[in-house]
Amino acid sequence: MSDVKPFVLDFDLVSGFCTSGKVKPTQRRVSDMVAQFANETAARAMVEGGDPLLYEFYGLDLPEDDSGVLQFGTTILYPGKVGEEYFMTKGHFHTILDTSEIYYGLSGHGMMLMETPEGQVDWKEIGPGEALYVPGRWAHRSINTGTEPLVMFFVYRGDAGHDYGTIEEKGYRKLVVERDGKPAVIDNPKW
Ligand code: PAN
Ligand code: ZN
């Protein structure tokens, strides 16, 4: 068991930021995930046009080898599109595949796109006051389908680990794009 002492952190309910600055978020820009967007040409043009920030998320300095630890924080995913595809997170499986995760919507509106290695696919809308359960084995990607930042609090087993490689190589089976001003889930033509 790890020797972590009790502690308190502040996360603003609307912005999602730790306003005291006790912890700092990791930032991901379009340049960090050009190949993950269906329209890579549009993504490259956005990188050249200023490389906008897609999202920020907190990871705490907690032991990563202890199944008793819970990792937690917020994800702040900005609104916008690359081509017709909404801003999204990279998405990942957990390295310990059967570890689950809870997300709780604080502000903004979006979707969680999920799939299993066997090819089951699901997506759920998430907004303020809604708790979303991502079961073990389900890769998960957050997508901002709204006009405000999508802010969610998350908790998962601290030793779960992140497998980004599988998603980076193959992408998701589905994409979430804007069609007629509304979100639509379509087949990924690259899959
Ligand atoms: C979250 C995610 C966070 C950023 O903490 O790590 O939303 O998304 P990516 O890790 O896909 O870039 C989580 O699901 N942790 O397990
Ligand atoms: Zn996760």
Side-chain angles (χ1 to χ4, degrees), residues 53-65:
L53 185 58
L54 293 172
Y55 61 101
E56 327 191 37
F57 64 104
Y58 289 91
L60 307 182
D61 186 19
L62 292 168
E64 289 171 6
D65 58 354

Side-chain angles (χ1 to χ4, degrees), residues 10-181:
D10 61 301
F11 287 104
D12 186 90
L13 271 173
V14 176
S15 75
F17 287 109
C18 174
T19 40
S20 66
K22 282 185 190 165
V23 288
K24 300 274 179 233
T26 300
Q27 298 188 326
R28 290 206 170 122
R29 295 181 178 277
V30 176
S31 56
D32 296 312
M33 42 189 290
V34 167
Q36 260 100 80
F37 286 101
N39 188 339
E40 285 187 42
T41 311
R44 266 189 231 102
M46 285 177 83
V47 172
E48 276 163 31
D51 197 11
L53 185 58
L54 293 172
Y55 61 101
E56 327 191 37
F57 64 104
Y58 289 91
L60 307 182
D61 186 19
L62 292 168
E64 289 171 6
D65 58 354
D66 183 342
S67 63
V69 166
L70 290 175
Q71 179 68 253
F72 68 96
T74 55
T75 301
I76 299 126
L77 173 57
Y78 295 102
K81 281 178 292 167
V82 176
E84 60 175 6
E85 198 173 14
Y86 294 103
F87 279 10
M88 61 190 188
T89 60
K90 272 190 172 187
H92 56 268
F93 288 96
H94 290 161
T95 312
I96 303 178
L97 192 60
D98 62 0
T99 54
S100 51
E101 182 156 353
I102 306 280
Y103 280 84
Y104 184 75
L106 297 178
S107 59
H109 291 272
M111 247 186 223
M112 191 69 73
L113 183 62
M114 296 165 280
E115 67 177 48
T116 66
E118 293 76 27
Q120 285 175 275
V121 175
D122 204 349
W123 54 91
K124 295 281 177 244
E125 289 182 18
I126 184 164
E130 293 178 317
L132 168 71
Y133 184 68
V134 180
R137 303 188 62 78
W138 288 80
H140 38 288
R141 161 176 285 167
S142 314
I143 296 157
N144 189 336
T145 54
T147 53
E148 306 292 325
L150 171 64
V151 181
M152 296 175 293
F153 184 82
F154 59 79
V155 190
Y156 61 94
R157 208 176 96 183
D159 64 342
H162 296 91
D163 164 15
Y164 291 106
T166 310
I167 302 290
E168 272 168 9
E169 277 164 35
K170 299 193 75 177
Y172 268 74
R173 288 169 171 83
K174 299 280 181 188
L175 306 178
V176 184
V177 297
E178 187 179 84
R179 289 282 159 85
D180 301 324

